[in-house]
Amino acid sequence: MSKQANAPSTPVALPQHVAPCATDPVLPPRLVVTDLDGSLLDHHTYDFSPAAPWLARLKQLGVPVIPVSSKTRAELIPLRELLGLTATPFVAENGAVIGLPPGWCHARLDRPGSACDGVVVKHTGVDVGFIGARLKIWRERLGLRFTRMSELNTQQIMQLTGLDEARARAAQRREGSEPLIWQDDEKAIEAFRRALAGDGLELTQGGRFWHVMGRASDKGSAVAWLIKRFSALRGSAPIALGLGDGPNDITMLEAVDQAVVIRGCHGLEVSPQSDALYRTEATGPTGWAEGVAHWWGRDNRQLAAAPRLPSATA
């Protein structure tokens, strides 16, 4: 059974400010993988300012922070800029797409990136066209009730998600998964799962949508691959911290050494099997900062939380 730490009753201190490149060579390498919506980003406003001091601290220490999201690659491009994470990899569409910046590429294994930022894109799953075709067949054959994102127009997506038009259009640019709105009962979900499994597909639940993707193209598989790549490049395995708030984050949280379940706004059960599990009291980016501080704010002087950084804004 997972050991769950109780949330602190006192406010979480913000991380200590240090000069750039202050990484201690004795400190074991570390790695952060994180969900975005409802975790690093506020579920409604997409603000991340409560987490900004820790993001800055981790960047100064040379600790990679990797977004692992249900968002598309097109959505993540501007978000990586906004969050200051352009030097780290990203995982899009719940694990179906992995993006590697130049510093994470292997000279013999990775072809040069074709994107303008030099990112090498790896598709771990199946083509989105195949997924759409199978969803159409199974909905008719099983008489299921659901609506695919590809059947919604941009205005409808804006209303469902709160995204502006540009970001809503980016959300429609799918490469390896199909979000859908489930409108049937629980019994129908199980029949649907079995049908998808026969096609090599799987179904996972996010905060707003259900997602269909290739089998073994989940967040956990992508994170495990990135941890291996990090270990190969650095010569040693990192201590990996994962943070998420939804059921689709469970495999990611089970692939890391230390896990944080951020209190969600959706009421869905999130119970990863982990011996190092912490549940936050706060939601969104405030909970994100609470979770990082719980695991890494007390265990050594290099990461100790002490004086406050200036307030940050998104």
Side-chain angles (χ1 to χ4, degrees), residues 177-191:
S177 69
E178 174 79 52
L180 53 85
I181 302 168
W182 188 253
Q183 296 153 328
D184 222 313
D185 56 29
E186 200 70 29
K187 183 178 179 181
I189 287 180
E190 294 310 310

Side-chain angles (χ1 to χ4, degrees), residues 35 68-70 94-95 217-224 248-249 251-252:
D35 175 50
V68 183
S69 177
S70 61
N94 285 311
S217 293
D218 55 45
K219 288 187 175 186
S221 298
V223 165
N248 60 330
D249 297 318
T251 58
M252 175 183 72

Side-chain angles (χ1 to χ4, degrees), residues 223-233 238:
V223 165
W225 189 92
L226 285 168
I227 290 173
K228 289 182 180 178
R229 173 57 63 92
F230 180 96
S231 302
L233 294 174

Side-chain angles (χ1 to χ4, degrees), residues 284-307:
T286 302
W288 193 94
E290 177 189 330
V292 176
H294 171 80
W295 287 118
W296 291 1
R298 305 184 183 97
D299 62 349
N300 57 66
R301 59 185 174 81
Q302 291 86 357
L303 288 165

Side-chain angles (χ1 to χ4, degrees), residues 93-201:
E93 297 189 43
N94 285 311
V97 178
I98 298 175
L100 298 175
W104 281 69
C105 293
H106 191 288
R108 288 178 295 141
L109 300 178
D110 303 315
R111 295 180 178 179
S114 58
C116 60
D117 55 3
V119 169
V120 170
V121 177
K122 293 184 175 292
H123 296 91
T124 67
V126 298
D127 182 75
V128 69
F130 172 78
I131 295 173
R134 299 309 297 172
L135 286 177
K136 181 178 180 181
I137 289 172
W138 288 120
R139 180 166 56 184
E140 294 174 357
R141 189 171 298 177
L142 299 177
L144 300 174
R145 290 179 288 113
F146 61 79
T147 301
R148 296 160 46 197
M149 177 180 278
S150 58
E151 297 169 330
L152 302 174
N153 61 38
T154 303
Q155 290 297 320
Q156 289 171 316
I157 293 174
M158 292 170 63
Q159 292 171 2
L160 279 170
T161 62
L163 296 171
D164 59 30
E165 184 174 355
R167 290 188 293 174
R169 290 188 183 280
Q172 294 173 288
R173 294 169 59 181
R174 318 300 302 187
E175 296 177 75
S177 69
E178 174 79 52
L180 53 85
I181 302 168
W182 188 253
Q183 296 153 328
D184 222 313
D185 56 29
E186 200 70 29
K187 183 178 179 181
I189 287 180
E190 294 310 310
F192 187 38
R193 286 188 193 276
R194 290 192 296 270
L196 292 173
D199 291 327
L201 302 174

